Amino acid sequence: MRMVVKVAGALLERDEDVRVLARQIAELARAGHELLVVHGGGKIFSNTLARMGIGSRFVNGLRITDRETRDAAVMVFAGLLNKKLSGAISLAGQPAVGISAADAACFLAEPMQLDDFEALGFVGYLTEVNVDFLRSLWREGIVPVASCMGLGADGELYNINADHLAAAAAEFIRAERLIFLTDVAGVLDDGKVLRAVRGTEIEDLIRRNKVSGGMVLKLEAAKRALAGGVAEVRIVGGTQPRALLAAGGGIRSPGTRVLPLIRTSPKAAHGAAQ
Ligand SMILES: Nc1ncnc2c1ncn2[C@@H]1O[C@H](COP(=O)(O)OP(=O)(O)OP(=O)(O)O)[C@@H](O)[C@H]1O
Ligand SMILES: [Mg+2]
């Protein structure tokens, strides 16, 4: 099965978390699944920026990215974190290759414009994936590990929110499953993990301030992936033991399943027509 696995930046902070995840990714790949791993940057990136004396500013959950911030993003995302994860998967027994947008022009992007014309800088959205390149890696049993960037037609690298990238890439590569591994146990409502969230409930959760920050972007990305043909989307705690294997294997998965807007079974469609 073709799957996109999105790994939160927070899960790359502790070496033990990285090792536990890497082992599960290697096991899924060994079982014959075609995996695209996408990772974020989280606190590690914010801390690096702070160390460099660069401030962080967000609009609608998206980081305003000037040239200096972008250059640091390339160093942290495509450098340190990307190599940390691809190295751990390779050491877990399955060869993994860290890729970023520029490599074989694997992820193309266009600059993102916000309605209120607030300049986001080098923030983009995904417009194309070099699927042939990914296929050539899968054929050799190699796991591609992608940092959250896109290559613009102007030759510049653009920062892409990792959830946006994972969801859009899942659509482009026609993945059957998209798994978001995050630093919480799933989508929480008053501290309790919701087993399932239907697309129609997402707006309501946001309006009632039940979800905020990065979780809003994640749910919107999940909704988009479902609308784009990805059959199954899950949001799972990445530190729970064997959580990825359960989610990847589709068995008694922990966390939250995001369900499509409308039921697609013929029975439900018939019901809706009445
Ligand atoms: N209802 C909610 N349930 C769960 N998490 C929530 C909720 N509302 C807000 N959040 C926040 O969303 C965060 C997850 O999004 P965040 O963007 O921080 O991480 P990520 O997307 O998994 O990783 P990265 O941004 O590094 O790619 C949680 O850590 C939590 O603080
Ligand atoms: Mg996020």
Side-chain angles (χ1 to χ4, degrees):
M1 181 185 291
R2 193 169 288 181
M3 277 186 239
V4 173
V5 177
K6 152 69 197 327
V7 178
L11 299 172
L12 301 176
E13 281 168 26
R14 290 178 52 232
D15 287 349
E16 183 52 23
D17 287 342
V18 178
R19 266 196 300 272
V20 167
L21 276 179
R23 277 200 289 268
Q24 296 177 79
I25 291 168
E27 198 171 325
L28 284 177
R30 250 193 317 274
H33 296 296
E34 293 177 332
L35 302 180
L36 169 63
V37 178
V38 175
H39 64 85
K43 255 201 332 239
I44 301 173
F45 182 45
S46 297
N47 291 348
T48 306
L49 288 177
R51 282 218 309 273
M52 295 171 78
I54 305 169
S56 294
R57 227 160 48 84
F58 293 86
V59 178
N60 296 351
L62 297 167
R63 180 188 293 279
I64 296 185
T65 308
D66 60 10
R67 183 172 290 277
E68 211 184 6
T69 307
R70 193 282 312 270
D71 290 354
V74 177
M75 291 187 246
V76 176
F77 295 153
L80 185 67
L81 297 179
N82 190 258
K83 301 311 153 199
K84 202 175 190 176
L85 188 52
S86 54
I89 299 166
S90 299
L91 284 177
Q94 196 69 16
V97 165
I99 54 174
S100 70
D103 303 311
C106 55
F107 299 108
L108 299 185
E110 277 185 23
M112 190 182 274
Q113 311 278 355
L114 287 185
D115 293 343
D116 57 7
F117 293 104
E118 169 100 34
L120 283 169
F122 293 99
V123 175
Y125 63 92
L126 189 69
T127 53
E128 210 177 308
V129 175
N130 185 345
V131 189
D132 284 341
F133 172 57
L134 296 181
R135 244 188 245 120
S136 69
L137 296 176
W138 289 324
R139 256 199 310 273
E140 300 299 324
I142 296 171
V143 182
V145 178
S147 57
C148 49
M149 324 222 66
L151 178 67
D154 53 4
E156 297 283 0
L157 287 167
Y158 286 81
N159 189 4
I160 300 180
N161 172 272
D163 291 341
H164 284 174
L165 177 70
E171 199 178 323
F172 278 114
I173 70 169
R174 297 177 184 277
E176 285 159 75
R177 197 169 278 174
L178 166 61
I179 301 164
F180 292 101
L181 294 172
T182 185
D183 60 344
V184 282
V187 181
L188 305 171
D189 185 2
D190 292 331
K192 265 183 51 197
V193 177
L194 296 172
R195 295 292 300 152
V197 171
R198 194 164 281 284
T200 41
E201 291 168 328
I202 292 174
E203 295 300 320
D204 189 52
L205 286 170
I206 298 170
R207 203 167 26 80
R208 291 191 292 129
N209 290 323
K210 293 284 186 188
V211 293
S212 56
M215 194 48 77
V216 175
L217 293 183
K218 202 181 303 298
L219 283 171
E220 284 170 354
K223 204 163 108 175
R224 181 205 154 144
L226 288 164
V230 181
E232 201 180 309
V233 181
R234 292 183 183 274
I235 299 171
V236 178
T239 54
Q240 296 169 45
R242 300 183 72 79
L244 174 59
L245 287 177
I251 36 145
R252 285 176 51 84
S253 170
T256 305
R257 179 158 182 198
V258 187
L259 298 165
L261 283 173
I262 2 162
R263 284 174 213 277
T264 46
S265 75
K267 201 174 151 201
H270 178 69
Q274 287 182 333

